[in-house]
Amino acid sequence: MVLSGPTHDDEANTISIDFRLWDPEAINPTLMDSKAVTVKKDSIKALSGDAEVAVKSYLPFVEVEGVSSDIALLIDLSAPEAAIFKKRNDWEITHAKRMMTPASPVHKFGVFTIEADTLTTVAELGQNSGFAIRELEKHKAKGKTTQIFQLTRELIAKLAKSDADRKHLIIFSDGEYEDQGELVDLVAEVEKQAKKAGVVISALGYAQNEKDKSQFLQSLRRMVEPTKGLYKRAEYGTYKLPEDFDKEVFYPFAESGGRLVLDASALSGNSKVTIEIETEKGDKIKREIEVKSSSGAVGATGGDDPNGGEATDNTVLYIIIAAVAVAIVILALLLRKLSGGNDVDPVISGEATEIYDDIPVAPQFSNHVYGWLEMLDADGSQEQITITNMRIGRGNDNDLVLRNDSVSNSHCVINQSRDGSWSVTDLDSGNGIYVNGKRVEQSALRDGDTLELGEVKMRFRVN
């Protein structure tokens, strides 16, 4: 769940919290299921300690008065003269037009293409769907370059200037890029810029065949995941998507969540409020957010000043003491990190404009051992599973790094669901994943199951 806010209405004495839902299955390239991001009716609860905070109202995103959404479509139209790429380009345009057709009035669009050294504008941001579609139909592709990362950053810069409540960037591409630099660095630059601008990146991948997917599509998925976007893949070669993809998959995702209004009368000082939500799929999501208040004024930075707004000497002294205390804490944390201590989950403050986290609420670093992976080789080593969303691959940014050329940079993810069950999902790897000898895109994992990633074979064990 991604939270923004909270904001406080002094007159009504309420807190407003905007949220968007995200599930790890959003980056499962072949799973077309919107239930994971749909709020179950009357399932929202708010707690401050053991006391329940009254939920005054909840409105889905598109029903919130005055809400707005900017959606930027970035379409890869490189190499239009080659028959193989023309077919891909035609399907990308078809899907882009379809994505804009059923849109709610809250959504405005911009259409841009990847085909030159700089971003090509087909329809500027803020257009209604009909105008954007007509401009796309008139556009003639030139197709010169595929610098996806550079042009994605250019488009994020445009979206950063938008005052829309939500900002989405959808990339239509095969993922092939000509940008200079290491993939991990290119992704990091996009991630930093997107999070600062509050942009959610989603992507639709188009690969000619299964062999292509590991080499190129990974670049798309790795831009999507950090911003909690949606990543799906069209059929190999045919480039087709389900007819109802826009209505049943993308828009339920883009419009997920909404605005929650809580009664603030029972809150005072700095309060930690826990939001509990259940999805139609049955996942129960729990997220804690800190709200700062004085005399019930949630989100305020301070209370009334009895001295006419001028700071007293005592106030200055308190500020100095607080600053020294904060400096000591920071120094202690730095010393702990340098000495090899475990990372500590940061305190989440309601003053942050965007908070990114995975649906699994267990911390990413934990002393708890959920299970382990037994390597079925001569070494016979064991790798502990200490997180509920464990990514495996050859790249250094994975939770478990496997140094084997048959393993893709980002090969698969092992995930524990809310009910305690485990599953494994292929992240568009080159050699796929096999569970008990059968190739799968996604599969349940049970104690004792064998898992094969390329030439690496292991046994899954539950603690």
Side-chain angles (χ1 to χ4, degrees), residues 37-69:
V37 292
T38 307
V39 177
K40 187 176 180 179
K41 188 177 180 181
D42 301 326
S43 72
I44 303 176
K45 293 181 180 179
L47 299 169
S48 179
D50 295 328
E52 188 164 344
V53 180
V55 177
K56 295 185 74 71
S57 66
Y58 163 69
L59 284 176
F61 174 72
V62 294
E63 296 179 21
V64 177
E65 185 178 358
V67 80
S68 61
S69 163

Coordinates of all heavy atoms in Angstrom, one line a residue, residues 37-69:
V37 N -5.9 -5.6 -6.2 CA -5.8 -4.2 -6.0 C -7.2 -3.5 -5.8 O -7.4 -2.3 -6.0 CB -5.0 -3.4 -7.1 CG1 -3.6 -3.8 -7.1 CG2 -5.7 -3.7 -8.5
T38 N -8.2 -4.3 -5.5 CA -9.6 -3.8 -5.3 C -9.9 -4.0 -3.8 O -9.8 -5.0 -3.2 CB -10.6 -4.7 -6.1 OG1 -10.1 -4.7 -7.5 CG2 -12.0 -4.0 -6.1
V39 N -10.4 -2.8 -3.2 CA -10.7 -2.8 -1.8 C -12.1 -3.5 -1.6 O -13.0 -3.2 -2.3 CB -10.8 -1.4 -1.3 CG1 -11.2 -1.3 0.2 CG2 -9.5 -0.7 -1.4
K40 N -12.1 -4.4 -0.6 CA -13.3 -5.1 -0.2 C -14.2 -4.1 0.5 O -13.7 -3.4 1.4 CB -13.0 -6.3 0.6 CG -14.2 -7.2 0.9 CD -13.8 -8.4 1.7 CE -15.0 -9.3 2.0 NZ -14.6 -10.5 2.8
K41 N -15.5 -4.1 0.2 CA -16.4 -3.1 0.8 C -16.5 -3.3 2.3 O -16.5 -4.4 2.8 CB -17.8 -3.3 0.2 CG -18.8 -2.2 0.6 CD -20.1 -2.5 -0.1 CE -21.1 -1.4 0.3 NZ -22.4 -1.6 -0.4
D42 N -16.5 -2.2 3.0 CA -16.6 -2.1 4.5 C -15.5 -2.9 5.2 O -15.7 -3.3 6.3 CB -18.0 -2.7 4.9 CG -19.1 -1.9 4.3 OD1 -19.0 -0.7 4.1 OD2 -20.2 -2.6 4.0
S43 N -14.3 -3.0 4.6 CA -13.2 -3.7 5.2 C -12.2 -2.8 5.9 O -11.3 -3.3 6.5 CB -12.5 -4.6 4.2 OG -11.7 -3.8 3.3
I44 N -12.3 -1.5 5.7 CA -11.3 -0.6 6.2 C -11.5 -0.3 7.7 O -12.6 0.1 8.1 CB -11.4 0.7 5.4 CG1 -11.2 0.5 3.9 CG2 -10.3 1.7 5.9 CD1 -11.3 1.7 3.0
K45 N -10.4 -0.4 8.5 CA -10.4 -0.1 9.9 C -9.2 0.8 10.2 O -8.2 0.7 9.5 CB -10.3 -1.3 10.7 CG -11.6 -2.2 10.7 CD -11.4 -3.4 11.6 CE -12.7 -4.3 11.5 NZ -12.5 -5.5 12.4
A46 N -9.3 1.6 11.2 CA -8.2 2.5 11.7 C -8.1 2.3 13.2 O -9.1 2.4 13.9 CB -8.4 3.9 11.3
L47 N -6.9 2.1 13.7 CA -6.6 2.0 15.1 C -5.5 2.9 15.5 O -4.5 3.1 14.8 CB -6.2 0.5 15.4 CG -7.3 -0.6 15.1 CD1 -6.6 -2.0 15.2 CD2 -8.5 -0.5 16.0
S48 N -5.7 3.4 16.7 CA -4.6 4.2 17.4 C -4.4 3.4 18.7 O -5.1 3.6 19.7 CB -5.0 5.6 17.7 OG -4.0 6.3 18.3
G49 N -3.3 2.6 18.7 CA -3.1 1.7 19.9 C -4.2 0.6 19.8 O -4.4 0.0 18.8
D50 N -4.9 0.5 20.9 CA -6.0 -0.5 20.9 C -7.4 0.2 20.6 O -8.4 -0.5 20.5 CB -6.1 -1.2 22.3 CG -4.9 -2.0 22.6 OD1 -4.4 -2.6 21.6 OD2 -4.5 -2.2 23.8
A51 N -7.4 1.5 20.6 CA -8.6 2.2 20.3 C -8.9 2.4 18.9 O -8.0 2.7 18.1 CB -8.5 3.6 21.0
E52 N -10.1 2.1 18.5 CA -10.5 2.3 17.1 C -10.8 3.7 16.8 O -11.4 4.5 17.5 CB -11.8 1.4 16.8 CG -12.1 1.4 15.3 CD -13.1 0.2 15.0 OE1 -13.3 -0.7 15.9 OE2 -13.7 0.3 13.9
V53 N -10.3 4.2 15.6 CA -10.5 5.5 15.1 C -11.7 5.4 14.1 O -11.6 4.6 13.2 CB -9.2 6.1 14.5 CG1 -9.5 7.5 13.9 CG2 -8.1 6.1 15.4
A54 N -12.7 6.3 14.3 CA -13.8 6.2 13.5 C -13.5 6.6 12.0 O -12.8 7.6 11.8 CB -14.9 7.1 14.0
V55 N -13.9 5.7 11.1 CA -13.8 6.0 9.7 C -15.1 6.8 9.2 O -16.2 6.2 9.2 CB -13.7 4.7 8.9 CG1 -13.6 5.0 7.4 CG2 -12.4 3.9 9.3
K56 N -14.9 8.0 8.9 CA -16.0 8.9 8.6 C -16.5 8.6 7.2 O -17.7 8.6 6.8 CB -15.7 10.3 8.8 CG -15.5 10.7 10.2 CD -15.3 12.2 10.4 CE -16.6 13.0 10.3 NZ -17.5 12.8 11.4
S57 N -15.5 8.3 6.3 CA -15.9 8.1 4.9 C -14.7 7.4 4.1 O -13.6 7.6 4.5 CB -16.4 9.3 4.2 OG -15.3 10.2 4.0
Y58 N -15.1 6.7 3.1 CA -14.1 6.2 2.1 C -14.7 6.4 0.7 O -15.8 5.9 0.5 CB -13.7 4.8 2.4 CG -13.0 4.2 1.2 CD1 -11.7 4.6 0.8 CD2 -13.6 3.2 0.4 CE1 -11.1 4.1 -0.3 CE2 -13.0 2.7 -0.8 CZ -11.8 3.1 -1.1 OH -11.2 2.6 -2.2
L59 N -13.9 7.0 -0.1 CA -14.3 7.1 -1.5 C -13.3 6.5 -2.4 O -12.1 6.8 -2.3 CB -14.6 8.6 -1.9 CG -15.8 9.3 -1.4 CD1 -15.9 10.7 -1.8 CD2 -17.1 8.6 -1.9
P60 N -13.7 5.7 -3.4 CA -12.7 5.2 -4.4 C -12.1 6.4 -5.1 O -12.7 7.5 -5.2 CB -13.5 4.4 -5.4 CG -14.7 4.0 -4.5 CD -15.0 5.1 -3.6
F61 N -10.9 6.3 -5.7 CA -10.1 7.4 -6.2 C -11.0 8.2 -7.2 O -11.0 9.4 -7.2 CB -8.9 6.8 -6.9 CG -8.1 7.9 -7.7 CD1 -7.4 8.9 -7.0 CD2 -8.1 7.9 -9.1 CE1 -6.7 9.8 -7.7 CE2 -7.4 8.9 -9.8 CZ -6.7 9.8 -9.1
V62 N -11.6 7.5 -8.2 CA -12.3 8.3 -9.3 C -13.6 9.0 -8.7 O -14.1 9.8 -9.5 CB -12.7 7.3 -10.4 CG1 -11.5 6.8 -11.1 CG2 -13.6 6.2 -9.9
E63 N -14.0 8.7 -7.5 CA -15.2 9.4 -7.0 C -14.9 10.5 -6.1 O -15.8 11.2 -5.6 CB -16.1 8.3 -6.2 CG -16.6 7.2 -7.1 CD -17.4 6.2 -6.3 OE1 -17.9 6.6 -5.2 OE2 -17.6 5.1 -6.8
V64 N -13.6 10.8 -5.8 CA -13.2 11.9 -4.9 C -13.4 13.2 -5.7 O -12.9 13.3 -6.8 CB -11.7 11.7 -4.5 CG1 -11.3 12.9 -3.7 CG2 -11.6 10.4 -3.7
E65 N -14.0 14.1 -5.1 CA -14.3 15.4 -5.8 C -13.0 16.2 -6.1 O -12.2 16.3 -5.3 CB -15.2 16.3 -4.9 CG -15.6 17.6 -5.6 CD -16.6 18.4 -4.7 OE1 -16.9 17.9 -3.6 OE2 -16.9 19.5 -5.1
G66 N -12.9 16.6 -7.4 CA -11.8 17.4 -7.8 C -10.5 16.6 -8.0 O -9.5 17.2 -8.3
V67 N -10.5 15.3 -7.9 CA -9.3 14.5 -8.1 C -8.9 14.5 -9.6 O -9.8 14.6 -10.5 CB -9.5 13.1 -7.5 CG1 -10.3 12.2 -8.5 CG2 -8.2 12.4 -7.2
S68 N -7.6 14.3 -9.8 CA -7.1 14.3 -11.2 C -6.0 13.3 -11.4 O -5.3 13.0 -10.4 CB -6.7 15.7 -11.7 OG -5.6 16.1 -10.9
S69 N -5.8 12.8 -12.6 CA -4.8 11.9 -12.9 C -4.2 12.2 -14.3 O -4.9 12.4 -15.3 CB -5.4 10.4 -12.9 OG -4.5 9.5 -13.6

